[in-house]
Amino acid sequence: MSKQEPLTIIMIEDDEGHATLIERNIRRAGVSNEIVKFASGQPALDYLIGGGGKPGVKNGKPYMVLLDLNLPDMSGVDILKQLKETPKTERIPVIVLTTTDDKNEIQRCYDLGANVYVTKPVNYENFANAIRQLGLFFSVVQVPEL
């Protein structure tokens, strides 16, 4: 049986402070996987699906997406929808990580195929702790290859 390639984490987060906090606390949880960061949706979609001169994700490699819903160029919900409607990316686990705790928005994300929905705590220490726990989750979760 061949050894699986290491998981690449795709972070789509426009708030630089949140992006830094997320990466720092994922690292504190002992996760050393590559984190590819995007501050807006379209470049992330180009990277994942292909477009804008990018080939898209590689077959035989596992990915996971951390997705903020409030982005400058498009809605995270639209990104989620495109990822789950595209055969090449439909099996990539998507973790919605956002400040929105609206029940309808949560339901909509799960209906569209989100695997996990996490509301960012407003308090810094709670946010940092939540991300460390998410990092522990990354270290044990099994992700399908594409």
Side-chain angles (χ1 to χ4, degrees), residues 32-62:
S32 60
N33 301 59
E34 177 184 13
I35 299 175
V36 181
K37 295 184 268 190
F38 295 94
S40 59
Q42 194 58 56
L45 282 174
D46 290 346
Y47 177 89
L48 289 159
I49 294 173
K54 303 275 192 258
V57 291
K58 291 188 259 175
N59 288 338
K61 184 162 175 46

Side-chain angles (χ1 to χ4, degrees), residues 11 18-26 66 97 127 131:
M11 183 186 348
H18 285 183
T20 300
L21 182 70
I22 290 166
E23 182 169 11
R24 184 181 309 131
N25 285 285
I26 286 173
L66 285 178
L97 188 61
F127 187 20
I131 299 304

Side-chain angles (χ1 to χ4, degrees), residues 37-83:
K37 295 184 268 190
F38 295 94
S40 59
Q42 194 58 56
L45 282 174
D46 290 346
Y47 177 89
L48 289 159
I49 294 173
K54 303 275 192 258
V57 291
K58 291 188 259 175
N59 288 338
K61 184 162 175 46
Y63 296 87
M64 182 178 293
V65 173
L66 285 178
L67 177 62
D68 184 17
L69 294 183
N70 305 308
L71 297 166
D73 62 337
M74 64 194 323
S75 161
V77 171
D78 292 335
I79 294 170
L80 174 63
K81 192 172 189 308
Q82 286 187 53
L83 289 176

